[in-house]
Each structure stands twice: as C-alpha cells, then as structure tokens.
Amino acid sequence: QVQLVESGGGLVQAGGSLRLSCAASGRTLSGYSMGWFRQAPGKEREFVAAIRWGASITYYGDSVKGRFTISTDNAKNTVYLQMNSLKPEDTAVYCCALATVRSMGVLINQYAYNDWGQGTQVTVSS
C-alpha cells in the first residue's frame, strides 16, 4: 500500500514562493510518474506538473510553466513542487499522486493516477 503525504502549504502573498513536499512510502517508485494536481473551489481538478521518477522527465501545465518546478529526492522518496511568482489564481488544494504504470514519458491525465495524497491548501492573497 502506497502512502503519499503532502506538506508545505500555507498562506502567501502574491509574488511569493512556497515549496510543497510529497513523501512516498510503501513501494519502489523508479519508472513511475509522480504528479501534482490542484483543485480550487467550484472548479475541476487541474494538472499542475509531473515527473518520471529516476529519469527527470518533466511536464508542466500551461498556467504554471516557467513559475513552478517539480523535482525529486531519491534518497528521501520525496517529490517537491517549488512554486514561485505565486498568483491569487494559484489558490487551491494541491495533491500529489502516483501512477503505477510505466511509460516512456510522463503521464498528465489524472485518470492514469491510482494513488493520491490527502492534499495541502495553498492560499495566495492579493
């Protein structure tokens, strides 16, 4: 059973930065996609970023490209999301997820992900 535990959310002013962490336990992650998704009140879940564990292949949603960076620490089995130049529209609950399907690239479709964390709230004030 995979466990994903997020941390690092909080309240920040527009233009500020936050770093989210997602600690994974329970299985080997090599070759799988780890993703970050977010959901704001009244909106559908949105893809933010994904990385293929062990290959450093990454992909970003258009709304965060150039501002967010996804990375991994293999020794800690942790994936990070560094968020810079935050905007009020980035306010959402952010969840990390694991897709236990090996692929050549990274998976960006939420339905490919089968394990999810509980989420962490990010609030950006204007």
Side-chain angles (χ1 to χ4, degrees):
Q1 181 82 21
V2 174
Q3 282 195 320
L4 303 174
V5 180
E6 301 99 334
S7 61
L11 173 64
V12 64
Q13 287 190 330
S17 298
L18 282 174
R19 188 177 79 157
L20 305 184
S21 302
C22 174
S25 61
R27 72 172 303 147
T28 302
L29 301 173
S30 180
Y32 296 142
S33 292
M34 291 286 294
W36 284 98
F37 295 82
R38 67 186 183 186
Q39 188 165 20
K43 295 189 176 181
E44 293 190 355
R45 183 181 287 166
E46 176 188 13
F47 169 77
V48 176
I51 187 167
R52 202 178 94 194
W53 202 280
S56 296
I57 299 171
T58 60
Y59 196 85
Y60 296 90
D62 288 342
S63 60
V64 306
K65 206 171 293 184
R67 300 187 297 123
F68 291 11
T69 303
I70 189 170
S71 61
T72 60
D73 183 328
N74 293 342
K76 296 182 179 180
N77 254 24
T78 298
V79 61
Y80 300 101
L81 185 68
Q82 177 66 44
M83 307 186 295
N84 298 329
S85 302
L86 283 162
K87 305 175 182 179
E89 51 263 44
D90 294 319
T91 296
V93 174
Y94 285 70
C95 291
C96 66
L98 173 66
T100 53
V101 174
R102 287 192 168 87
S103 64
M104 293 299 292
V106 292
L107 299 172
I108 65 173
N109 188 320
Q110 61 175 303
Y111 299 106
Y113 288 79
N114 43 278
D115 293 291
W116 292 81
Q118 294 288 338
T120 185
Q121 176 71 45
V122 171
T123 303
V124 184
S125 63
S126 57

